[in-house]
Amino acid sequence: MFNRAIVREVSRSLAECELVHLPRQKIDLALARRQHGAYVAALESAGVRVRVLPEAPALPDATFVEDPLLVLDELAVVCRPGATSREPESELLAREIAAHRSVFRLSASATL
């Protein structure tokens, strides 16, 4: 059972997010932010201490902190996303998690 979480506010550029398997549709930013707020509230109501990071306006997908970082009991694995546009997200999160876990980075050419 985990008791801490890191989340990031929804980026104002969310509509420019990476899409691979779905056609692009209009994204309701206000709705996305309300849903994100409900997600944070659900975590908190379950007893999880949530650290909310500010939005990253230049990184549309940065809200999805689960993608570039895999956190295990003993370490955090900084992933290399397949989309080049998402690579900066990994380092932003690595800096945040370094105070709580040893950090391991995947080497070039490896992705997760």
Side-chain angles (χ1 to χ4, degrees):
M1 175 97 172
F2 63 91
N3 60 10
R4 290 185 291 184
I6 295 175
V7 300
R8 183 177 300 283
E9 291 289 347
V10 175
S11 174
R12 66 191 80 181
S13 63
L14 181 63
E16 300 164 27
C17 64
E18 289 290 337
L19 288 174
V20 176
H21 302 290
L22 298 172
R24 189 160 301 276
Q25 298 178 18
K26 181 172 173 50
I27 293 177
D28 183 335
L29 186 58
L31 175 60
R33 288 181 169 158
R34 286 193 307 273
Q35 290 171 332
H36 188 268
Y39 170 62
V40 171
L43 288 171
E44 290 173 335
S45 72
V48 177
R49 287 181 295 152
V50 181
R51 177 174 162 93
V52 180
L53 303 176
E55 73 162 318
L59 301 171
D61 295 284
T63 299
F64 305 102
V65 297
E66 301 84 358
D67 297 345
L69 190 66
L70 177 63
V71 181
L72 306 170
D73 288 340
E74 62 281 358
L75 65 98
V77 179
V78 179
C79 304
R80 292 178 38 83
T84 304
S85 65
R86 296 200 65 192
E87 288 177 2
E89 296 173 42
S90 297
E91 269 318 302
L92 285 177
L93 287 171
R95 286 186 286 231
E96 292 295 331
I97 200 69
H100 306 282
R101 299 281 191 284
S102 297
V103 174
F104 175 83
R105 287 172 173 77
L106 294 181
S107 60
S109 80
T111 58
L112 179 65

